[in-house]
Amino acid sequence: MKIGNRKLLVCDCAHSMRLDGAALGKACGDGGAVTVHTQLCRGQLDRFEAAAANGEPLLVACTQEAPLFGEVAAGTAPDTPVGFTNIRERAGWSDEGADALPKIAALLAEAALPIPPTGALSLNSQGVCLVYGTDERAIEAGRELAGHLDVTVLLAAPKEVEPPRVMDIALFRGRIRSARGWVGAFEIVVDDHAPALPSSRGALAFEPVRQGASARCDLILDLTGGTPLFPAHGKRDGYLRPDPNSPAQVARALRDIADLVGVFEKPRYVDYKADLCAHSRSRKTGCTRCLDVCPTGAITPGGDTVAIDAHVCAGCGSCAAVCPTGAATYALPPQVTVHERLRTLLSTYAGAGGSAPVLLIHDPRHGDAVIGMMARHGRGLPARVLPFALNEVTQAGFDLFALALAYGCTHVRVLTGPENAGETAGLASQIGLAETALSGLGYGTGRVSAIDAPDPEAVAEELWSLPPTAPHRAGLFLPMGSKRTVTMLALRHLHAVAPAPVEVLPLPPGAPFGRVAVDTAGCTLCLSCVGACPTGALLDNADAPRLSFAQDACVQCGLCKATCPEAVITLVPEMDFRDGARGAVVVKEEEPFHCVSCGKPFAAKSSIDRIAAALAGKHWMFATPEAANRIRMCGDCRVRDQVARGDAPFALGRPPVPRTTDDDLRDREAARKAK
């Protein structure tokens, strides 16, 4: 049987799962029966080999034996694409395994989707390694690495360190003042820097110190046990910081760092479109959401936009989750692929007869391990809990949660792990926003939440104890368009089927949806806010003094509020589901003032009248009636009138006549004769 463009190979793993080939074929939408193998990786391996020899893409419903299948395929038909998915631990091995047919069909359909390749960076390490420590342990670590790397040992404030019998490694003292960079390109600045004296006898002695010494290296092994040199140091490629008091951690770090020589590829985790960024305009700061949640410091202000250093980025995806405009999007895989995977998973599950699905978002490392432990030693996953793997769970945002609920999920759970420590602030804010929106529409609380429990039994307890919830009508719309467009589609569907729909849903401060409230009495229609708005939510009109607002485009960045010279703008976070909020509405409009010379409208009548009253006869540039009349002219006519009348209001008098040497000689001769 084929699913998508792939031939499907399914195995019940020696009858440890209940699989009905005919029912599975019908659930997958093909109509034909699926051949269910029993020992595809052993006694029936020839069947896989025969399928691979045909050259058509394969999807194997087993991940445990993926290395074996990959080896066989490489020897039989190396050009045959082979994909793998796990239906055993994620569905079949469960107390509800007999009812897991809709989930199995959904997992197979999702796995058959193509995943586009991701761009990558090249990182080059020549093996120049700095071992940074405080005592003999750093020297010993340096010696162990010297056979593999070009090692320098730097000791911070060393005391009573015994000199090595043989100076077989470069040895210095110093304290790292600052460090930046990544594997293959670290730059450090060192204070109290000095080389060791070869004449050291009972304890290491050093030459006179100097400050501000700079150096470059490819790798850093930090054995100081003090403050890390980098934020989120565990995610800085090439920087290893084991506990110096743990021999096991030090040994593991020595093994790992010795392998970091050569050229490595690092994925470009984030795609960034600067023209969509709402960070700043005209030195006024607006949105700082990505700056606030980036754990590694990879994002920095860069004028009107931000700059994302792909070498430092560790791929947590928090910036993409909180970005309101879609300027930063996760690329592993792209957002459109994630949305299509989700739609395929949930639509196939519903089409196969499944109901009231729960989406379990997890990563392929901690999440897969926990799910495997639950299946092998516990009850497994409930039949209605659909696991959904993302490269990082922290890349999940409000758009994904809203889309999952709109496609029929009753609950969404995000399984976090130890690797996510210190980087879940963005995820928490997105969950909070989803909970506010859903509870405001009558769905109640607890629809979206995180599970932060490393114990598989605790995870299983939370999933199995989810309360039964009446399903709502699922949407069928395609997830097309930008992140914001998809989010609005999902929210409008949830509003349409909500238990208690409201026309205007208040949202918490910082939400990326809302309107701007303008005190029209104080607004002078200077339109500074229009020039500052990065999304086109605030609009002007070329033919009349008019300010309009399109709420669908407003991301609540605050640039209009920061720019307004009259301080008459207030941000109001909310979601307006009325039809009037989908287009631009006029906020303020005034009668235009027509140029007294050419008749062209060029400003608001109230503004010109106010300026004329304030300046005419009271400012030297407008002292005469003719000059005062220029206030009522457009820019072109004002210049023409000024030139025609020969006025030079900015003139500073007759320019000085330059003096020459001849002038000085004449003055000197005249002074001599006068005597």
Side-chain angles (χ1 to χ4, degrees):
M1 174 187 168
K2 277 193 173 183
I3 184 167
N5 70 332
R6 294 177 178 266
K7 182 176 181 179
L8 180 62
L9 297 176
V10 175
C11 180
D12 65 9
C13 200
H15 303 300
S16 63
M17 294 184 289
R18 300 180 185 177
L19 294 179
D20 184 331
L24 184 58
K26 183 178 180 180
C28 289
D30 184 81
V34 175
T35 300
V36 179
H37 306 279
T38 57
Q39 285 190 335
L40 191 62
C41 62
R42 294 293 183 269
Q44 298 168 334
L45 187 59
D46 59 319
R47 300 184 184 182
F48 170 80
E49 189 172 1
N54 288 333
E56 58 184 330
L58 301 179
L59 176 61
V60 182
C62 174
T63 54
Q64 175 180 286
E65 299 298 328
L68 172 63
F69 292 127
E71 182 180 346
V72 172
T76 304
D79 295 330
T80 298
V82 183
F84 303 92
T85 190
N86 182 357
I87 64 171
R88 189 179 67 180
E89 281 86 353
R90 299 199 294 169
W93 282 3
S94 166
D95 285 4
E96 294 182 346
D99 302 321
L101 179 67
K103 177 160 72 167
I104 292 174
L107 294 174
L108 292 172
E110 179 207 355
L113 292 175
I115 303 297
T118 303
L121 300 167
S122 290
L123 305 177
N124 188 5
S125 169
Q126 302 294 330
V128 178
C129 177
L130 175 71
V131 178
Y132 186 40
T134 60
D135 51 30
E136 290 88 349
R137 292 175 295 185
I139 299 175
E140 182 59 31
R143 279 180 167 161
E144 290 192 35
L145 292 174
H148 308 278
L149 307 173
D150 181 2
V151 177
T152 297
V153 175
L154 182 67
L155 299 178
K159 295 181 180 178
E160 301 300 324
V161 176
E162 184 175 349
R165 185 174 58 85
V166 178
M167 283 287 189
D168 48 357
I169 53 175
L171 186 57
F172 296 82
R173 67 163 293 169
R175 176 181 54 83
I176 296 180
R177 182 207 304 171
S178 63
R180 63 178 184 175
W182 51 87
V183 57
F186 285 110
E187 298 178 7
I188 61 172
V189 177
V190 182
D191 288 335
D192 300 330
H193 177 264
L197 286 171
S199 58
S200 302
R201 187 174 181 182
L204 268 178
F206 299 87
E207 295 181 8
V209 301
R210 66 187 184 96
Q211 311 300 322
S214 60
R216 299 173 64 92
C217 60
D218 298 319
L219 308 165
I220 300 177
L221 176 62
D222 187 347
L223 296 176
T224 61
T227 303
L229 299 178
F230 302 98
H233 60 276
K235 296 182 177 294
R236 183 65 60 118
D237 296 325
Y239 175 69
L240 284 74
R241 183 180 171 273
D243 181 355
N245 296 315
S246 171
Q249 288 190 28
V250 173
R252 186 163 56 250
L254 292 174
R255 180 198 64 204
D256 292 344
I257 203 168
D259 291 335
L260 295 179
V261 180
V263 179
F264 307 93
E265 281 198 347
K266 176 180 179 177
R268 285 188 178 272
Y269 295 106
V270 177
D271 282 335
Y272 178 64
K273 298 180 176 62
D275 58 321
L276 299 179
C277 184
H279 170 59
S280 175
R281 293 293 184 276
S282 303
R283 299 185 180 180
K284 300 288 186 181
T285 301
C287 178
T288 61
R289 292 175 175 92
C290 61
L291 292 165
D292 296 338
V293 300
C294 179
T296 63
I299 305 178
T300 54
D304 283 350
T305 63
V306 298
I308 301 180
D309 192 332
H311 297 88
V312 176
C313 174
C316 72
S318 295
C319 57
V322 302
C323 180
T325 65
T329 57
Y330 207 70
L332 192 66
Q335 167 189 285
V336 64
T337 302
V338 174
H339 291 168
E340 184 57 33
R341 282 178 52 210
L342 181 63
R343 182 176 184 272
T344 299
L345 181 75
L346 292 172
S347 62
T348 305
Y349 176 79
S355 63
V358 175
L359 191 71
L360 177 63
I361 299 174
H362 65 90
D363 64 30
R365 302 169 299 279
H366 172 72
D368 277 353
V370 169
I371 291 172
M373 293 291 287
M374 291 166 57
R376 291 174 179 274
H377 305 289
R379 302 176 64 186
L381 289 177
R384 70 186 186 111
V385 174
L386 306 182
F388 190 71
L390 295 177
N391 187 60
E392 296 287 352
V393 296
T394 43
Q395 74 185 79
F398 183 45
D399 59 315
L400 189 63
F401 302 147
L403 199 59
L405 271 294
Y407 283 155
C409 285
T410 61
H411 298 83
V412 175
R413 291 294 180 264
V414 183
L415 180 59
T416 60
E419 290 184 356
N420 304 122
E423 58 184 36
T424 56
L427 176 64
S429 71
Q430 297 299 291
I431 291 176
L433 179 58
E435 280 288 278
T436 299
L438 293 168
S439 61
L441 293 174
Y443 289 95
T445 60
R447 293 296 186 124
V448 182
S449 67
I451 303 177
D452 185 15
D455 183 4
E457 291 186 3
V459 177
E461 176 62 28
E462 180 155 351
L463 294 175
W464 283 93
S465 63
L466 282 172
T469 304
H472 53 272
R473 178 169 57 85
L476 300 176
F477 57 89
L478 293 173
M480 300 177 63
S482 65
K483 168 184 174 179
R484 188 173 181 85
T485 300
V486 171
T487 306
M488 297 295 288
L489 286 171
L491 287 173
R492 289 198 171 104
H493 174 79
L494 290 172
H495 175 262
V497 300
V502 294
E503 290 187 335
V504 180
L505 175 66
L507 295 176
F513 303 93
R515 62 183 173 88
V516 294
V518 180
D519 180 3
T520 55
C523 176
T524 62
L525 285 177
C526 70
L527 302 180
S528 297
C529 55
V530 174
C533 181
T535 63
L538 289 164
L539 308 165
D540 61 0
N541 186 286
D543 300 322
R546 179 187 303 160
L547 175 64
S548 300
F549 175 66
Q551 183 161 338
D552 260 11
C554 180
V555 298
Q556 298 282 285
C557 66
L559 280 169
C560 56
K561 179 180 178 181
T563 303
C564 179
E566 285 83 23
V568 295
I569 294 180
T570 304
L571 301 181
V572 183
E574 65 180 25
M575 175 59 66
D576 193 333
F577 294 100
R578 295 173 293 188
D579 291 340
R582 301 190 184 189
V585 296
V586 176
V587 176
K588 183 174 182 178
E589 183 176 20
E590 287 192 8
E591 177 186 353
F593 188 89
H594 296 267
C595 175
V596 296
S597 178
C598 68
K600 180 179 69 176
F602 71 96
K605 184 176 183 302
S606 63
S607 297
I608 296 300
D609 291 342
R610 185 163 54 250
I611 294 172
L615 296 179
K618 301 176 183 177
H619 192 280
W620 65 270
M621 288 183 62
F622 307 100
T624 66
E626 294 80 9
N629 198 44
R630 292 179 190 140
I631 298 174
R632 299 176 176 83
M633 296 181 185
C634 67
D636 295 338
C637 293
R638 189 178 305 124
V639 172
R640 283 194 292 267
D641 181 76
Q642 187 169 299
V643 173
R645 293 179 182 274
D647 294 347
F650 297 104
L652 299 177
R654 185 183 298 276
V657 178
R659 288 181 61 84
T660 66
T661 302
D662 291 340
D663 294 328
D664 291 336
L665 292 175
R666 279 194 299 269
D667 290 347
R668 187 181 303 173
E669 181 63 22
R672 186 184 64 78
K673 290 180 179 181
K675 292 180 179 180

